[in-house]
């Protein structure tokens, strides 16, 4: 997606509709955007520095959270011990 994007000096430095754009960026990152929305996003990222920065920041945060917030299996003995302790406290 980043190929063929303009450099930051060629993008406008202020977004005319930041809230609407950020909602679009986040919906696409969440996998909710339609194909035409993705095309609009690519055009926006090529032209608007705040949107470009916000998109990449949100993308990195999302990737970090996905990598760090994974489910890990709990050993069955540990789960049984915890259940037993809970029952004893009741």
């Amino acid at each position: 997606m980043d190929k063929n994007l303009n450099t930051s000096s060629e993008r406008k430095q202020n977004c005319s509709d930041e809230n609407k754009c950020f909602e679009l960026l986040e919906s696409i990152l969440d996998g909710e955007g339609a194909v035409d929305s993705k095309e609009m996003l690519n055009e926006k990222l090529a032209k608007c520095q705040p949107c470009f920065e916000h998109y990449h920041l949100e993308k990195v945060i999302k990737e970090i959270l996905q990598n760090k917030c994974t489910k890990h299996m709990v050993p069955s003995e540990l789960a049984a011990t915890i259940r037993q302790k809970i029952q004893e406290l009741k």
Side-chain angles (χ1 to χ4, degrees):
M1 182 181 291
D2 294 344
K3 290 180 183 177
N4 304 324
L5 289 180
N6 299 334
T7 64
S8 63
S9 62
E10 296 172 338
R11 291 186 197 99
K12 64 181 182 173
Q13 298 302 306
N14 296 308
C15 183
S16 57
D17 198 2
E18 201 168 87
N19 289 335
K20 184 178 177 183
C21 292
F22 287 4
E23 286 177 19
L24 171 67
L25 300 175
E26 290 169 7
S27 71
I28 290 173
L29 283 171
D30 291 340
E32 300 169 0
V35 174
D36 59 334
S37 295
K38 292 177 184 177
E39 291 171 7
M40 187 172 25
L41 171 67
N42 287 334
E43 291 175 16
K44 187 71 174 163
L45 294 179
K47 297 175 185 174
C48 182
Q49 186 65 24
C51 291
F52 178 84
E53 291 174 3
H54 183 77
Y55 173 80
H56 289 284
L57 175 64
E58 291 294 324
K59 183 177 176 187
V60 168
I61 290 170
K62 188 171 186 71
E63 289 171 356
I64 289 170
L65 289 174
Q66 286 176 339
N67 290 332
K68 298 296 180 184
C69 297
T70 58
K71 294 182 180 179
H72 297 283
M73 295 299 297
V74 175
S76 57
E77 299 93 29
L78 176 59
T81 302
I82 292 171
R83 282 190 196 97
Q84 181 182 1
K85 296 284 183 188
I86 292 171
Q87 290 301 320
E88 291 172 3
L89 293 173
K90 286 185 176 182

